[in-house]
């Protein structure tokens, strides 16, 4: 657990982003890492049980999972079929930061148009501080139209709201007493605390969020993307590298892929398609992961919603047969 911390709440003498513990552990310079998306269970319908979730998070950390991603789903839309991990995103992340020690934490993703940017800025910087710098901020424009009128927002405006909100968040977090005049609010003569642990909070854009790839490459620290046919994904990654930089070089920014898996008991089971992913045994899983690593994916984010097995059993199998091939990056202790 992260305890007895010396907080740097005002942003004085912040360390460079290259030393951010979350980024260092979530990504391995020598290959792909494995992340997981909450909740840790297979379930029918839109609502999980969250049974044994804390135990499973700790098991994932001990087994070598590099990052735990928490979604932002404020309202239940039965037609959409998935309400994430149910708990408030940042309340849950604060809890997770207290029961874990090294695993990176992230949002996948905060829906910027639905919240005031100051609230997201304060909540995300707070989790970063409480976790000892293990947090990355995944952001999105929102894909559930029913949520927007509940917040008094127009779904059609989400692309513009996304850009305005992200700029507001970054200025509030990264500047001391910023002078902000935005359609989302005016800030003058006041400062946001806490500041992030490092020079800035790592920001990851999900999908396109109604922006161009060039805008994402310029304004984000990484890209969270969906599963695509292999050739198409390889082209996406190659274009991303051209807009940013090859791995290991200055300017490199991670490319993540999210995939649903049902990893069955038979290790030799051939792969079959499921919604946004695959049902398969561990031998075929390893082949897919090796291929995705070869085309340049930096982190494969697993969603277990379609799992027909207890996820604890799957994590044990992965820890023995899969995760040794895809180790997490360095912890601060390893660095020192």
């Amino acid at each position: 657990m992260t305890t007895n911390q010396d907080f740097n709440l005002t942003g004085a003498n912040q360390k460079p982003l290259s030393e951010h513990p979350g980024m260092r552990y979530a990504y391995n310079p020598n290959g792909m890492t494995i992340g997981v998306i909450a909740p840790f269970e297979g379930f029918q319908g839109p609502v999980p049980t969250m049974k044994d979730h804390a135990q499973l998070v700790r098991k994932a950390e001990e087994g070598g999972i590099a990052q735990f991603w928490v979604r932002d789903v404020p309202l239940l839309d039965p037609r959409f079929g998935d309400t994430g991990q149910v708990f408030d995103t940042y309340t849950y992340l604060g809890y997770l930061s207290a029961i874990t020690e090294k695993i990176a934490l992230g949002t996948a993703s905060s829906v910027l148009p639905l919240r005031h940017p100051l609230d997201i800025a304060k909540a995300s910087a707070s989790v970063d501080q409480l976790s000892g710098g293990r947090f990355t901020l995944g952001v999105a424009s929102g894909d559930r139209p029913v949520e927007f009128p509940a917040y008094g927002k127009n779904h059609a405006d989400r692309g513009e709201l996304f850009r305005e909100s992200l700029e507001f968040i970054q200025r509030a977090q990264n500047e001391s007493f910023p002078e902000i005049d935005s359609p989302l609010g005016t800030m003058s003569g006041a400062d946001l605390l806490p500041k992030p642990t490092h020079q800035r909070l790592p920001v990851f854009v999900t999908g396109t969020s109604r922006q161009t790839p060039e805008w994402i490459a310029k304004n984000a620290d990484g890209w969270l993307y969906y599963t695509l046919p292999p050739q198409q994904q390889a082209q996406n990654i190659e274009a991303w590298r051209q807009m940013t930089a090859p791995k290991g070089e200055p300017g490199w920014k991670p490319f993540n892929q999210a995939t649903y898996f049902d990893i069955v008991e038979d290790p030799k089971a051939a792969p079959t398609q499921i919604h946004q992913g695959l049902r398969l045994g561990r031998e075929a899983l390893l082949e897919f992961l090796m291929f995705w690593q070869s085309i340049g994916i930096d982190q494969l984010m697993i969603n277990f919603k379609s799992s027909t097995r207890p996820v604890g059993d799957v994590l044990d199998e992965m820890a023995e047969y899969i995760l040794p091939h895809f180790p997490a990056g360095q912890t601060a202790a390893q660095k020192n």
Side-chain angles (χ1 to χ4, degrees), residues 254-304:
F255 185 101
N256 290 21
Q257 174 180 295
T259 305
Y260 286 70
F261 281 116
D262 179 15
I263 303 167
V264 300
E265 284 193 48
D266 179 3
K268 297 185 179 297
T272 57
Q273 291 288 136
I274 59 174
H275 176 66
Q276 296 185 37
L278 296 162
R279 177 171 292 118
L280 73 183
R282 69 166 183 261
E283 293 182 4
L285 171 65
L286 183 57
E287 290 181 8
F288 270 98
L289 295 176
M290 288 293 188
F291 170 76
W292 283 324
Q293 178 176 251
S294 74
I295 65 172
I297 290 174
D298 296 300
Q299 186 184 120
L300 195 286
M301 304 158 63
I302 297 178
N303 191 318
F304 286 111

Side-chain angles (χ1 to χ4, degrees), residues 307-326:
S307 181
T308 55
R309 294 171 63 193
V311 171
D313 294 348
V314 176
L315 288 172
D316 287 338
E317 183 177 20
M318 290 183 64
E320 183 174 359
Y321 297 101
I322 301 296
L323 293 174
H325 297 280
F326 306 98

Side-chain angles (χ1 to χ4, degrees), residues 1-7 129-130 132:
M1 300 181 186
T2 306
T3 57
N4 300 321
Q5 296 161 269
D6 292 324
F7 293 113
Q129 287 282 352
L130 291 169

